[in-house]
Amino acid sequence: MFTCKKSKTLQFITNTSHSIHSQITSHPRISLFIFSLFLVQIIILCSPSPPPPPVSLPPPVDDKCKEGQVYVYELPTMFNSDLVGTCEDLDPWHWQCGVATNGGYGMTATELAGIIPESLVQVWHRTNQFSSEIIFHNRILKHKCRTMEPEAATAFYIPFYAGLAVGKYLFTDSTNEERDFHAVQLIKWVQNQSYWRRSNGSDHVLVLGRITWDFRRLTDPEKRWGSTFLNMPEMQTVTRLTIERAPGDYQDVGIPYPTGFHPRSITDIQAWQSFVRTYNRTSLFTFVGAAREDVGDDIRGLLLQTCRNESVSGTCRVVDCAVTPCANGSSAIMESLLGSEFCLQPRGDSFTRRSVFDCMIAGAVPVLFWTRTMYDQYEWYLPEEPESYSVFIDHDDVSAGKKSIKGVLEKYSKEAVKEMRERVIEIIPKIVYSDEGSNNSGMKDAFEVAVDGVMRRFKTERDQRRQESDVNVPGN
Ligand SMILES: *[C@@H]1O[C@H](CO)[C@@H](O)[C@H](O)[C@H]1NC(C)=O
Ligand SMILES: *[C@@H]1O[C@H](CO)[C@@H](O)[C@H](O)[C@H]1NC(C)=O
Ligand SMILES: *[C@@H]1O[C@H](CO)[C@@H](O)[C@H](O)[C@H]1NC(C)=O
Ligand SMILES: *[C@@H]1O[C@H](CO)[C@@H](O)[C@H](O)[C@H]1NC(C)=O
Ligand SMILES: *[C@@H]1O[C@H](CO)[C@@H](O)[C@H](O)[C@H]1NC(C)=O
Ligand SMILES: *[C@@H]1O[C@H](CO)[C@@H](O)[C@H](O)[C@H]1NC(C)=O
């Protein structure tokens, strides 16, 4: 049994979704002090906003930003910077400490010195996995296609930190009103903007730092979890970039979890690629995670035990997160991922895991047990043939004892493994968030891929709307 607090912390951090609601029953209450802050925020919110700008069609696209330009709303600070707050008020275990430092990248991970090349220690950070709303905000403000003129914009970026807004209520007995407070106010604010009214939000985009399920609260009071932001009718037209999307919801777009690697240049990327390509991997596979006794059919527990058994011969490297604090990264995790050809990536309460990205950046091949962990999630980022860069073993076959992990992985020849690892290494530049000032000479990082994708999507939709309205004009 792993009953220590750290394992619980990790469980809550790495997980969520429909099934978590029933497990959340008793947690420390957040102080009344925080609630009183909202009263202050209501007052801020109710102050008058400037008159809406005039409406006009976007001008012809210019050469540099072919797909269009992005306008970033200046929101009242209650929707973003006020939410970053202090280390203490964000959640019961303070794991978000430092979430906003270095533009969302966090402190330098000096603990990796001696494991990774010295020249790259500066580009590895203790990045919080839920910091993408801060990272994107910071980067979009400096984007070359940002415009200060809303009438020139193809896309409207809403820098609302929705994940941080709900994050502090997830583990408390907070009311529905508390959980939805910021979301409700945000909708009111944005509905008051003329460019929102022009499109009903369909050319608007925001980033959710947490998984989509944290914003889709169910009506069953027994399964109360998160806010109801994405259930709100006004949100149905808005594109959301999120680390775990709801399959089948066109407005949800999957973006990579932020990892600790933030290269400054193509030189950093190439140095890292060459480092992980040539690393002497002495184990076949690794498992980084904790058992989950509270979940029936606990595949994590099974994989942990399998790995522990195989660690005797050196075939598997185990990092038990009930013992090692995994939440903020550690040198033990890095060494295990670098030292193994494959990494096991079971689902938790939700399907996705930051660890999938940690694994690939370390140049190891992810082994998946649910397709929704990756294949249905990150289509802007991953090659079409999943078998080229990953291994899939159905979780039912593992649970039923029909397939042995070692048996499946040992069947791959040295050459086949090398080839898969090479595909993984090719993907790295696209799934990292590079340092803001970097010049990757045409290598698009995860942020740039997302911005391009959103611009393309909005431009296509706008062109379609124009065609439709042409068709609808009588006599045309
Ligand atoms: C909406 O705009 C009007 C006029 O600018 C302003 O009086 C009102 O307070 C605004 N409402 C909100 C919720 O921002
Ligand atoms: C926005 O939504 C309202 C209410 O559904 C509708 O009346 C209006 O035509 C919509 N406007 C646009 C531009 O789609
Ligand atoms: C890789 O590590 C193994 C085990 O420690 C060792 O025997 C082998 O010589 C190493 N290979 C290289 C190329 O360093
Ligand atoms: C691990 O080894 C023990 C002892 O040999 C065995 O009883 C157990 O079934 C093994 N567990 C797994 C998951 O392989
Ligand atoms: C990671 O988190 C633990 C517990 O929250 C903390 O004690 C430790 O100092 C952190 N380590 C790093 C490298 O930030
Ligand atoms: C980025 O680097 C490339 C090649 O090294 C260079 O041609 C280009 O001008 C640089 N761009 C910027 C913005 O510095």
Side-chain angles (χ1 to χ4, degrees), residues 341-398:
E341 310 266 23
F342 297 94
C343 62
L344 309 185
Q345 301 293 349
R347 64 166 289 180
D349 280 325
S350 89
F351 289 95
T352 61
R353 291 184 92 197
R354 199 272 273 277
S355 182
V356 171
F357 294 97
D358 291 337
C359 162
M360 292 177 73
I361 286 166
V365 177
V367 180
L368 304 163
F369 303 90
W370 278 266
T371 56
R372 274 174 68 178
T373 301
M374 267 199 108
Y375 307 146
D376 306 340
Q377 289 290 340
Y378 309 106
E379 58 175 310
W380 289 358
Y381 295 90
L382 299 172
E384 269 173 30
E385 295 80 29
E387 61 280 6
S388 67
Y389 64 89
S390 68
V391 170
F392 183 77
I393 308 176
D394 195 289
H395 57 98
D396 285 332
D397 291 343
V398 177

Side-chain angles (χ1 to χ4, degrees), residues 51-334:
V55 177
S56 65
L57 280 174
V61 290
D62 87 286
D63 286 351
K64 268 197 238 127
C65 301
K66 271 206 242 51
E67 311 290 353
Q69 292 176 283
V70 58
Y71 179 78
V72 183
Y73 280 111
E74 200 167 310
L75 292 181
T77 55
M78 66 168 286
F79 295 118
N80 46 45
S81 54
D82 289 355
L83 293 166
V84 171
T86 62
C87 288
E88 287 72 32
D89 72 356
L90 284 170
D91 89 10
W93 298 290
H94 313 340
W95 58 267
Q96 286 171 317
C97 219
V99 67
T101 50
N102 277 323
Y105 289 162
M107 312 288 278
T108 308
T110 46
E111 62 275 13
L112 296 180
I115 299 169
I116 64 175
E118 208 187 317
S119 67
L120 292 172
V121 173
Q122 281 305 311
V123 300
W124 271 91
H125 295 250
R126 294 172 198 153
T127 307
N128 186 290
Q129 64 172 338
F130 297 141
S131 63
S132 55
E133 51 206 17
I134 295 169
I135 294 173
F136 272 73
H137 186 198
N138 188 50
R139 296 273 309 268
I140 200 84
L141 289 176
K142 297 170 185 159
H143 196 275
K144 67 178 193 326
C145 298
R146 177 186 175 203
T147 175
M148 304 303 283
E149 310 295 335
E151 59 275 16
T154 300
F156 291 81
Y157 185 91
I158 308 171
F160 172 39
Y161 298 169
L164 286 180
V166 74
K168 61 176 86 180
Y169 300 113
L170 290 176
F171 307 99
T172 68
D173 289 336
S174 50
T175 64
N176 287 350
E177 287 68 32
E178 285 174 298
R179 288 159 186 250
D180 296 337
F181 176 80
H182 289 88
V184 169
Q185 300 307 329
L186 188 274
I187 297 287
K188 282 190 190 156
W189 188 90
V190 83
Q191 278 184 316
N192 221 12
Q193 308 299 314
S194 64
Y195 290 99
W196 170 278
R197 288 203 294 263
R198 185 181 71 182
S199 66
N200 278 344
S202 64
D203 50 5
H204 284 52
V205 59
L206 51 73
V207 176
L208 304 173
R210 304 186 65 98
I211 62 173
T212 194
W213 309 111
D214 290 346
F215 310 95
R216 297 169 181 262
R217 191 173 62 234
L218 305 176
T219 46
D220 181 350
E222 291 298 302
K223 299 184 173 175
R224 212 166 62 92
W225 174 262
S227 78
T228 198
F229 188 37
L230 296 188
N231 299 333
M232 295 176 180
E234 296 81 8
M235 282 302 295
Q236 303 319 306
T237 47
V238 177
T239 296
R240 323 109 187 184
L241 307 176
T242 171
I243 48 178
E244 176 167 338
R245 67 182 292 264
D249 187 336
Y250 169 80
Q251 302 297 1
D252 271 9
V253 174
I255 52 167
Y257 277 74
T259 60
F261 184 46
H262 305 295
R264 295 160 299 196
S265 63
I266 189 159
T267 317
D268 284 345
I269 293 179
Q270 287 168 344
W272 180 260
Q273 285 175 311
S274 134
F275 170 66
V276 299
R277 185 182 286 119
T278 54
Y279 199 94
N280 188 8
R281 292 173 197 259
T282 51
S283 298
L284 182 61
F285 61 106
T286 181
F287 177 64
V288 179
R292 296 289 314 273
E293 281 83 3
D294 50 345
V295 177
D297 189 16
D298 173 23
I299 191 171
R300 288 198 191 193
L302 183 61
L303 296 180
L304 190 69
Q305 199 49 54
T306 305
C307 186
R308 198 168 270 135
N309 284 3
E310 297 298 343
S311 68
V312 179
S313 64
T315 304
C316 192
R317 288 172 190 249
V318 58
V319 179
D320 183 351
C321 294
V323 179
T324 307
C326 295
N328 47 4
S330 80
S331 41
I333 297 175
M334 178 63 84

Side-chain angles (χ1 to χ4, degrees), residues 445-458:
D445 79 334
F447 167 79
E448 286 156 337
V449 169
V451 172
D452 285 359
V454 168
M455 293 302 212
R456 260 199 321 277
R457 171 186 270 226
F458 287 174

